[in-house]
Amino acid sequence: MTVPPTMVTIGSGNPSARRFVGKDCVVTGAGGGIGRAVALRLATEGARVAVLDIDLEGARETLSLAGADHKGFAAKLDVRSEASIAAVAAQTAEAFGGVDVLVNNAGIEVLGTIAETAPDVWDEVMAVNLRGPYLCSRVFLPHLLARASAKGGAAIVHNASLMGQVSSPRLAAYCASKAGLISLTRSMALDFAKQNLRVNCVCPGIVHTEMLERRFALQPDRAEAYRVVSQRPPVNYIGNPEDVAAAIAYLAADEARFVTGSALTIDGGVGAA
Ligand SMILES: NC(=O)c1ccc[n+]([C@@H]2O[C@H](COP(=O)([O-])OP(=O)(O)OC[C@H]3O[C@@H](n4cnc5c(N)ncnc54)[C@H](O)[C@@H]3O)[C@@H](O)[C@H]2O)c1
């Protein structure tokens, strides 16, 4: 695998940056992949993190990687369920007393044209990728607005995709869900700007996680599939979860106070072509 020269290892972050000291953060889909890298980046920079995933074991593993002295917690969360989100929001309020940052990262990818995508599969993709961020934002909103009022700022960052900005064959439901999430980012940014709640999203290109490995597993030759995919970005390598975590941390941090309603592309130049 060709790795970017500046690649950081999971959890290392930037040792000099401590932008999240005194901040309480919530990350969905944090049991692996990009969500895990985000949780660890925020923890490394001083945050208390609620590490949430439908896969509780994965969430617990992420929490353990944050170190024994980390003051966050891991919990099971299904972003499709309002009751599940409400239960975790109550647990977070009890543990942290509020929320400064919500990262809506949980997502699923399903391949197919509309002809190949049955209505229940379409609904499932929307339920996780678009309704999930809407529901989580809605349930956590009072906690975020309270912190925004008390401290002068709070932030939501959605994990959308380059596939919400451009498209790709046989990815109809996924692309539509991510385009919707980019649009939702703008609506939310406008609706809550006056209350000091910023809302942004990231649009990653090809990132090496289990989601990508599941795609490779469908190919007859995994090594060849990897080789072809890694040559697609103009930079000549695919991203790692830490590349996306760095961008999410920036958008969540106070230094991005003038940034709201934006979609930050992190794709090694794929979308520029
Ligand atoms: N990997 C990429 O190339 C890529 C590119 C662009 C955008 N993204 C987006 O980044 C986000 C993370 O993707 P990843 O590559 O790390 O994928 P991943 O499959 O490695 O991780 C996704 C995580 O979300 C969790 N999850 C799934 N359904 C859930 C639900 N209903 N409730 C709570 N948690 C749930 C999974 O258990 C898993 O831990 C997704 O929103 C994805 O669409 C990924």
Side-chain angles (χ1 to χ4, degrees):
M1 164 181 169
T2 312
V3 292
T6 54
M7 179 173 161
V8 293
T9 53
I10 279 185
S12 67
N14 173 356
S16 64
R18 298 282 294 167
R19 295 173 293 184
F20 296 94
V21 172
K23 303 251 190 201
D24 295 312
C25 303
V26 173
V27 185
T28 73
I34 295 169
R36 171 171 289 176
V38 172
L40 294 176
R41 176 70 189 241
L42 297 174
T44 301
E45 292 203 36
R48 277 194 300 201
V49 185
V51 179
L52 311 177
D53 203 292
I54 198 165
D55 168 13
L56 181 58
E57 281 317 302
R60 286 186 174 142
E61 199 176 296
T62 301
L63 187 70
S64 73
L65 290 168
D69 53 351
H70 181 68
K71 299 286 185 282
F73 67 91
K76 187 178 174 87
L77 168 76
D78 182 350
V79 301
R80 297 168 300 181
S81 156
E82 190 171 5
S84 170
I85 301 165
V88 165
Q91 190 181 351
T92 307
E94 171 83 19
F96 295 166
V99 180
D100 299 284
V101 171
L102 168 64
V103 180
N104 283 312
N105 166 78
I108 56 170
E109 181 186 68
V110 177
L111 299 179
T113 65
I114 60 157
E116 295 163 334
T117 306
D120 60 326
V121 174
W122 175 275
D123 289 347
E124 175 73 359
V125 173
M126 295 299 160
V128 178
N129 292 2
L130 183 53
R131 189 171 177 272
Y134 144 74
L135 264 186
C136 288
S137 301
R138 185 174 149 81
V139 172
F140 277 98
L141 193 60
H143 304 292
L144 287 155
L145 290 177
R147 279 285 166 94
S149 169
K151 292 188 181 176
I156 295 175
V157 185
H158 302 303
N159 196 346
S161 174
L162 177 67
M163 290 301 116
Q165 297 176 308
V166 299
S167 207
S168 187
R170 298 194 60 242
L171 210 51
Y174 184 80
C175 292
S177 71
K178 295 298 188 177
L181 188 52
I182 294 169
S183 180
L184 181 66
T185 301
R186 296 190 190 108
S187 297
M188 290 172 60
L190 296 181
D191 289 341
F192 300 108
K194 296 274 187 299
Q195 288 158 282
N196 292 326
L197 174 62
R198 295 181 302 104
V199 186
N200 292 288
C201 68
V202 291
C203 295
I206 309 160
V207 182
H208 197 189
T209 66
E210 283 303 312
M211 187 178 275
L212 188 62
E213 283 295 339
R214 280 191 289 274
R215 243 207 231 207
F216 289 150
L218 301 173
Q219 304 297 321
D221 183 345
R222 190 246 170 233
E224 176 59 10
Y226 183 91
R227 194 188 62 75
V228 169
V229 163
S230 32
Q231 282 176 1
R232 203 171 296 158
V235 295
N236 227 20
Y237 51 79
I238 59 175
N240 61 46
E242 290 76 16
D243 293 319
V244 183
I248 290 177
Y250 163 68
L251 291 170
D254 289 341
E255 67 185 314
R257 69 179 194 122
F258 197 49
V259 185
T260 195
S262 77
L264 176 54
T265 306
I266 309 144
D267 67 345
V270 174

